[in-house]
Amino acid sequence: DIRRCFQAIAPAVEAERDGSNSSRLTVRVNDLFLLLLDMFRGQKVRLDESLSSSRRTVKLFLVDLRAQPEHLALEWSIHDMAGSCGLGGTQFVHHVKRLTNLTPLQYLKDCRLDLAAKLLRERPGPSVTEVTLACGFSTSQYFATVFHERFGESPREYRDRAAQTHPVSSSVR
């Protein structure tokens, strides 16, 4: 029935030129909607969220963003992030909030701070400024402020405490 309905819609669309066939087209589309409604009412259709391509795309983008340090160093805007997912900004923000309970820029900042903490713990060589830039922060001042808000100490204090807790061996193995 649904196939026949589509087959009836096609000629109605072809014949539609100046509005003379709009009533016939409207009837055919309404028939299609009624058939679909009957079909869905007759079946228990379970929503499978994994098939929601835009949500899945955003989820994969967020996983990739966290996993790829070089992506964190890029200058991102909501428009850029949404564009990477093939979505508009509003839809992208909606999905990110549902997945993370954060705005996209809050999520990005958290990813950058996590990477910065890891680098400060594991790599004593780079300066705090080098870590700041490698993690995508544009100023040391802003980085120090948000780092302190998140970890309760300055980046330098964090690095010093990590070095005391887990000193890096100077011997070559």
Side-chain angles (χ1 to χ4, degrees):
D1 288 342
I2 291 174
R3 184 178 331 128
R4 275 194 302 275
C5 201
F6 273 110
Q7 290 170 340
I9 289 173
V13 169
E14 289 294 321
E16 178 62 34
R17 295 287 179 243
D18 56 3
S20 62
N21 211 24
S22 62
S23 294
R24 190 176 310 269
L25 181 58
T26 302
V27 169
R28 301 288 185 223
V29 170
N30 283 335
D31 286 345
L32 175 64
F33 285 145
L34 289 172
L35 287 170
L36 290 171
L37 180 63
D38 289 343
M39 183 181 76
F40 286 127
R41 281 185 176 161
Q43 300 176 9
K44 290 269 185 189
V45 179
R46 198 181 99 245
L47 177 64
D48 185 351
E49 291 196 22
S50 69
L51 299 176
S52 171
S53 63
S54 59
R55 182 182 172 138
R56 180 167 163 68
T57 300
V58 171
K59 187 175 184 178
L60 291 172
F61 173 80
L62 296 176
V63 167
D64 187 57
L65 186 65
R66 185 173 288 279
Q68 302 295 324
E70 63 274 9
H71 292 175
L72 292 174
L74 298 174
E75 289 187 37
W76 288 104
S77 69
I78 291 176
H79 178 76
D80 295 334
M81 289 188 258
S84 292
C85 297
L87 300 172
T90 302
Q91 189 178 18
F92 178 75
V93 169
H94 170 76
H95 285 299
V96 172
K97 282 185 176 181
R98 296 232 19 221
L99 290 166
T100 67
N101 205 27
L102 299 168
T103 67
L105 295 179
Q106 288 170 327
Y107 181 82
L108 177 63
K109 180 180 69 171
D110 280 357
C111 291
R112 287 173 170 172
L113 287 170
D114 290 342
L115 176 61
K118 179 180 179 186
L119 294 176
L120 290 169
R121 274 192 320 271
E122 296 176 1
R123 298 186 186 160
S127 70
V128 172
T129 302
E130 290 171 324
V131 169
T132 299
L133 298 174
C135 294
F137 291 97
S138 56
T139 68
S140 297
Q141 176 91 27
Y142 175 70
F143 170 66
T145 301
V146 295
F147 192 91
H148 191 275
E149 287 173 1
R150 170 96 180 269
F151 295 103
E153 55 192 342
S154 72
R156 192 167 317 283
E157 292 167 341
Y158 183 88
R159 174 180 266 169
D160 292 345
R161 188 177 50 74
Q164 291 171 357
T165 308
H166 303 288
V168 178
S169 174
S170 60
S171 64
V172 178
R173 294 181 183 180

